[in-house]
Amino acid sequence: MTNPDIVIIGSGIGGATIASGLAGSGASILMLERGEPLPATPHARDTRSIFVDGHYRPKEMWREAGGAAFNPGNYYYVGGNSKFYGAVLIRYRKEDFAAMEHFGGVSPAWPFTYDEFEPWYSKAEQLFRVRGALGEDPTEPFHSIPYAYKPVPDEAPIARARAELKNLGLHPASLPLGVDIDTWLKEGKTGWDAFPNTGQGKVDAQTGPLTAALTDQNIKLETGAYVEYLEASPDGTTISAIHYRQNGELKKVSP
């Protein structure tokens, strides 16, 4: 695909969700992802490999403003950082969209309100198959559509803690999660936060929106495609070409 209508760089939460939203539009869309699909290996459920050895962390080093080098917490795979996320998909509260005074200053209001944004939250919750329960959290804002799936059930210690908190007059609430708990536990008896999703246990950018997007034959995904630079139009208002390296070869695509 040398002259697609649209080029999306990255297949993480942002890129995959945009691609899913554009599916069925008739536009030809090329997605460029520098990583490859995350392989299923014993490392995926090995706590030492993940948290001590840094098996999945990139080998590159970045630099802070002062010049000190550090290893970034980025992951370069199809699905991006969401392959390792905790799958908590909570909505901002209505008040978060308004100007808010903090100790360090004022956080300005968003250019739109929660009510304007709410339908898109509902679409995202359906896309990521979010599990949750309305009515538990008194700070939960208005939902036009209820959660389609029941919350992840409490383990026994959490159930006891929930009951004790309720007895104190508090409101313990289930986190909205994009997790198929039964599938996750069948693949390995571990938690899921920071553990890579090599199967279908978590609904991440790949297993959710990207899978849906790629059912459209007009959307193509190229992996191992490292974007080196963007070429602007003479007036600087648009991107006229994307230059990327794949398998050692420098390529160019012009949307």
Side-chain angles (χ1 to χ4, degrees):
M1 191 180 289
T2 55
N3 296 104
D5 297 317
I6 299 168
V7 176
I8 298 173
I9 300 173
S11 64
I13 290 283
T17 302
I18 290 171
S20 175
L22 292 170
S25 66
S28 59
I29 300 169
L30 175 63
M31 301 182 70
L32 299 176
E33 167 56 53
R34 68 179 285 180
E36 300 291 346
L38 187 65
T41 70
H43 293 289
R45 295 300 178 94
D46 186 323
T47 54
R48 182 174 184 84
S49 289
I50 297 167
F51 300 109
V52 178
D53 299 336
H55 177 78
Y56 292 98
R57 294 181 73 92
K59 307 305 179 187
E60 66 190 24
M61 299 297 288
W62 292 4
R63 292 194 178 275
E64 297 176 351
F70 69 97
N71 181 230
N74 280 19
Y75 299 97
Y76 301 121
Y77 296 97
V78 174
N81 286 337
S82 75
K83 298 302 295 182
F84 295 80
Y85 81 148
V88 178
L89 295 162
I90 194 167
R91 296 185 179 203
Y92 282 179
R93 279 18 191 175
K94 193 168 186 175
E95 297 78 9
D96 294 326
F97 289 81
M100 188 174 293
E101 187 171 353
H102 299 279
F103 180 78
V106 176
S107 174
W110 289 44
F112 42 78
T113 66
Y114 173 82
D115 291 338
E116 292 173 302
F117 203 62
E118 193 281 331
W120 302 102
Y121 268 131
S122 294
K123 286 179 180 290
E125 286 166 351
Q126 292 176 312
L127 189 61
F128 285 86
R129 303 192 291 278
V130 179
R131 297 170 176 268
L134 296 179
E136 292 182 343
D137 184 349
T139 73
E140 183 86 19
F142 164 74
H143 283 231
S144 59
I145 300 174
Y147 292 113
Y149 303 92
K150 293 181 180 180
V152 172
D154 293 338
E155 293 182 332
I158 300 300
R160 289 194 297 271
R162 185 192 289 265
E164 291 174 7
L165 290 169
K166 282 185 175 180
N167 288 336
L168 293 172
L170 301 176
H171 303 276
S174 305
L175 281 173
L177 296 169
V179 174
D180 182 339
I181 186 64
D182 293 328
T183 299
W184 180 266
L185 292 177
K186 284 178 183 176
E187 295 169 358
K189 306 294 185 183
T190 68
W192 56 80
D193 192 6
F195 283 80
N197 185 30
T198 58
Q200 299 293 319
K202 281 192 280 191
V203 186
D204 56 40
Q206 180 189 18
T207 58
L210 183 60
T211 297
L214 292 178
T215 60
D216 184 338
Q217 294 184 349
N218 289 325
I219 300 178
K220 304 298 181 186
L221 171 68
E222 287 195 20
T223 60
Y226 179 84
V227 174
E228 295 200 340
Y229 65 97
L230 307 179
E231 183 180 334
S233 60
D235 63 3
T237 60
T238 59
I239 300 300
S240 58
I242 296 97
H243 297 259
Y244 65 100
R245 191 170 297 277
Q246 188 179 49
N247 298 322
E249 179 184 354
L250 188 60
K251 298 182 178 182
K252 173 182 174 181
V253 61
S254 298

